[in-house]
Short mmCIF file of all heavy atoms in Angstrom, two decimals:
data_model
loop_
_atom_site.label_atom_id
_atom_site.label_comp_id
_atom_site.label_asym_id
_atom_site.label_seq_id
_atom_site.Cartn_x
_atom_site.Cartn_y
_atom_site.Cartn_z
N LEU A 170 -35.80 48.18 -63.59
CA LEU A 170 -36.16 46.82 -62.94
C LEU A 170 -37.51 46.76 -62.34
O LEU A 170 -38.30 45.81 -62.61
CB LEU A 170 -35.07 46.29 -62.08
CG LEU A 170 -33.73 46.10 -62.82
CD1 LEU A 170 -32.57 45.67 -61.76
CD2 LEU A 170 -33.79 45.03 -63.91
N PRO A 171 -37.88 47.64 -61.47
CA PRO A 171 -39.26 47.60 -60.89
C PRO A 171 -40.30 47.68 -61.93
O PRO A 171 -41.40 47.02 -61.84
CB PRO A 171 -39.25 48.81 -59.93
CG PRO A 171 -37.91 49.06 -59.51
CD PRO A 171 -37.06 48.72 -60.79
N VAL A 172 -40.09 48.46 -62.97
CA VAL A 172 -41.12 48.55 -64.07
C VAL A 172 -41.29 47.27 -64.79
O VAL A 172 -42.28 46.70 -65.08
CB VAL A 172 -40.75 49.71 -65.04
CG1 VAL A 172 -41.57 49.59 -66.35
CG2 VAL A 172 -41.04 51.06 -64.37
N PHE A 173 -40.07 46.59 -65.06
CA PHE A 173 -40.09 45.23 -65.69
C PHE A 173 -40.92 44.29 -64.82
O PHE A 173 -41.82 43.64 -65.37
CB PHE A 173 -38.59 44.73 -65.82
CG PHE A 173 -38.49 43.25 -66.19
CD1 PHE A 173 -38.86 42.85 -67.32
CD2 PHE A 173 -38.11 42.34 -65.18
CE1 PHE A 173 -38.80 41.42 -67.75
CE2 PHE A 173 -38.02 40.96 -65.54
CZ PHE A 173 -38.41 40.54 -66.80
N TYR A 174 -40.64 44.13 -63.51
CA TYR A 174 -41.34 43.26 -62.68
C TYR A 174 -42.83 43.64 -62.53
O TYR A 174 -43.71 42.78 -62.47
CB TYR A 174 -40.73 43.15 -61.33
CG TYR A 174 -39.35 42.32 -61.42
CD1 TYR A 174 -38.14 43.02 -61.08
CD2 TYR A 174 -39.27 41.05 -61.86
CE1 TYR A 174 -36.92 42.40 -61.16
CE2 TYR A 174 -38.02 40.37 -61.92
CZ TYR A 174 -36.83 41.11 -61.63
OH TYR A 174 -35.62 40.41 -61.77
N SER A 175 -43.16 44.87 -62.45
CA SER A 175 -44.48 45.35 -62.37
C SER A 175 -45.33 44.99 -63.56
O SER A 175 -46.46 44.60 -63.53
CB SER A 175 -44.61 46.87 -62.09
OG SER A 175 -44.10 47.22 -60.90
N SER A 176 -44.63 45.03 -64.76
CA SER A 176 -45.31 44.62 -66.03
C SER A 176 -45.78 43.07 -66.03
O SER A 176 -46.62 42.71 -66.82
CB SER A 176 -44.48 44.93 -67.20
OG SER A 176 -43.44 43.95 -67.31
N LEU A 177 -45.14 42.38 -65.05
CA LEU A 177 -45.37 40.95 -64.93
C LEU A 177 -46.41 40.64 -63.80
O LEU A 177 -46.57 39.52 -63.40
CB LEU A 177 -44.08 40.14 -64.82
CG LEU A 177 -43.07 40.31 -65.90
CD1 LEU A 177 -41.79 39.55 -65.54
CD2 LEU A 177 -43.64 39.72 -67.17
N GLY A 178 -46.98 41.72 -63.24
CA GLY A 178 -47.87 41.57 -62.15
C GLY A 178 -47.40 41.60 -60.76
O GLY A 178 -48.09 41.38 -59.76
N TYR A 179 -46.15 41.99 -60.60
CA TYR A 179 -45.56 42.16 -59.23
C TYR A 179 -45.98 43.51 -58.69
O TYR A 179 -46.02 44.44 -59.42
CB TYR A 179 -44.11 41.93 -59.29
CG TYR A 179 -43.66 40.50 -59.51
CD1 TYR A 179 -43.74 39.94 -60.65
CD2 TYR A 179 -43.21 39.79 -58.42
CE1 TYR A 179 -43.38 38.66 -60.80
CE2 TYR A 179 -42.86 38.39 -58.59
CZ TYR A 179 -42.96 37.84 -59.79
OH TYR A 179 -42.66 36.50 -59.94
N LYS A 180 -46.21 43.51 -57.38
CA LYS A 180 -46.61 44.79 -56.70
C LYS A 180 -45.39 45.27 -55.84
O LYS A 180 -44.81 44.50 -55.14
CB LYS A 180 -47.80 44.52 -55.80
CG LYS A 180 -49.02 43.99 -56.49
CD LYS A 180 -49.66 44.96 -57.35
CE LYS A 180 -50.94 44.38 -57.93
NZ LYS A 180 -51.14 44.68 -59.36
N LEU A 181 -45.16 46.49 -55.90
CA LEU A 181 -44.18 47.22 -55.07
C LEU A 181 -44.62 47.14 -53.72
O LEU A 181 -45.68 47.75 -53.40
CB LEU A 181 -43.85 48.58 -55.67
CG LEU A 181 -42.76 49.36 -54.81
CD1 LEU A 181 -41.40 48.71 -54.96
CD2 LEU A 181 -42.73 50.84 -55.35
N ILE A 182 -43.93 46.60 -52.73
CA ILE A 182 -44.28 46.53 -51.35
C ILE A 182 -43.53 47.60 -50.52
O ILE A 182 -44.14 48.23 -49.60
CB ILE A 182 -43.97 45.15 -50.79
CG1 ILE A 182 -44.53 43.98 -51.53
CG2 ILE A 182 -44.19 45.01 -49.26
CD1 ILE A 182 -46.09 44.09 -51.54
N ALA A 183 -42.33 47.84 -50.84
CA ALA A 183 -41.54 48.72 -50.08
C ALA A 183 -40.31 49.24 -50.92
O ALA A 183 -39.90 48.50 -51.81
CB ALA A 183 -41.00 48.18 -48.81
N ARG A 184 -39.78 50.34 -50.56
CA ARG A 184 -38.57 50.89 -51.14
C ARG A 184 -37.80 51.53 -50.14
O ARG A 184 -38.28 52.25 -49.26
CB ARG A 184 -38.97 51.88 -52.22
CG ARG A 184 -37.71 52.54 -52.97
CD ARG A 184 -38.21 53.56 -53.95
NE ARG A 184 -37.07 54.20 -54.52
CZ ARG A 184 -37.13 55.29 -55.37
NH1 ARG A 184 -38.33 55.72 -55.71
NH2 ARG A 184 -36.06 55.80 -55.85
N LYS A 185 -36.44 51.10 -50.05
CA LYS A 185 -35.55 51.80 -49.06
C LYS A 185 -34.15 51.64 -49.44
O LYS A 185 -33.81 50.76 -50.32
CB LYS A 185 -35.86 51.19 -47.69
CG LYS A 185 -35.46 49.80 -47.51
CD LYS A 185 -35.73 49.28 -45.99
CE LYS A 185 -35.41 47.87 -45.71
NZ LYS A 185 -35.75 47.51 -44.37
N ASP A 186 -33.26 52.42 -48.84
CA ASP A 186 -31.82 52.22 -49.04
C ASP A 186 -31.33 51.09 -48.19
O ASP A 186 -31.70 50.99 -46.95
CB ASP A 186 -31.05 53.54 -48.65
CG ASP A 186 -31.25 54.57 -49.73
OD1 ASP A 186 -31.64 54.29 -50.82
OD2 ASP A 186 -31.05 55.83 -49.23
N ILE A 187 -30.60 50.18 -48.72
CA ILE A 187 -29.98 49.08 -48.05
C ILE A 187 -28.51 49.07 -48.16
O ILE A 187 -27.98 49.22 -49.36
CB ILE A 187 -30.59 47.73 -48.57
CG1 ILE A 187 -32.02 47.64 -48.36
CG2 ILE A 187 -29.98 46.54 -47.83
CD1 ILE A 187 -32.77 46.44 -48.98
N ALA A 188 -27.81 49.03 -47.06
CA ALA A 188 -26.36 49.12 -47.00
C ALA A 188 -25.78 47.69 -47.05
O ALA A 188 -26.19 46.82 -46.31
CB ALA A 188 -25.91 49.81 -45.76
N PHE A 189 -24.98 47.50 -48.01
CA PHE A 189 -24.19 46.25 -48.17
C PHE A 189 -22.63 46.54 -48.05
O PHE A 189 -22.31 47.82 -48.17
CB PHE A 189 -24.43 45.62 -49.59
CG PHE A 189 -25.86 45.12 -49.74
CD1 PHE A 189 -26.74 45.95 -50.44
CD2 PHE A 189 -26.21 43.88 -49.25
CE1 PHE A 189 -28.11 45.48 -50.59
CE2 PHE A 189 -27.51 43.47 -49.45
CZ PHE A 189 -28.35 44.22 -50.16
#
Side-chain angles (χ1 to χ4, degrees):
L170 294 175
V172 166
F173 167 74
Y174 291 116
S175 293
S176 74
L177 300 175
Y179 286 76
K180 303 289 184 222
L181 180 65
I182 303 300
R184 179 180 176 188
K185 67 180 180 179
D186 287 339
I187 299 175
F189 293 98

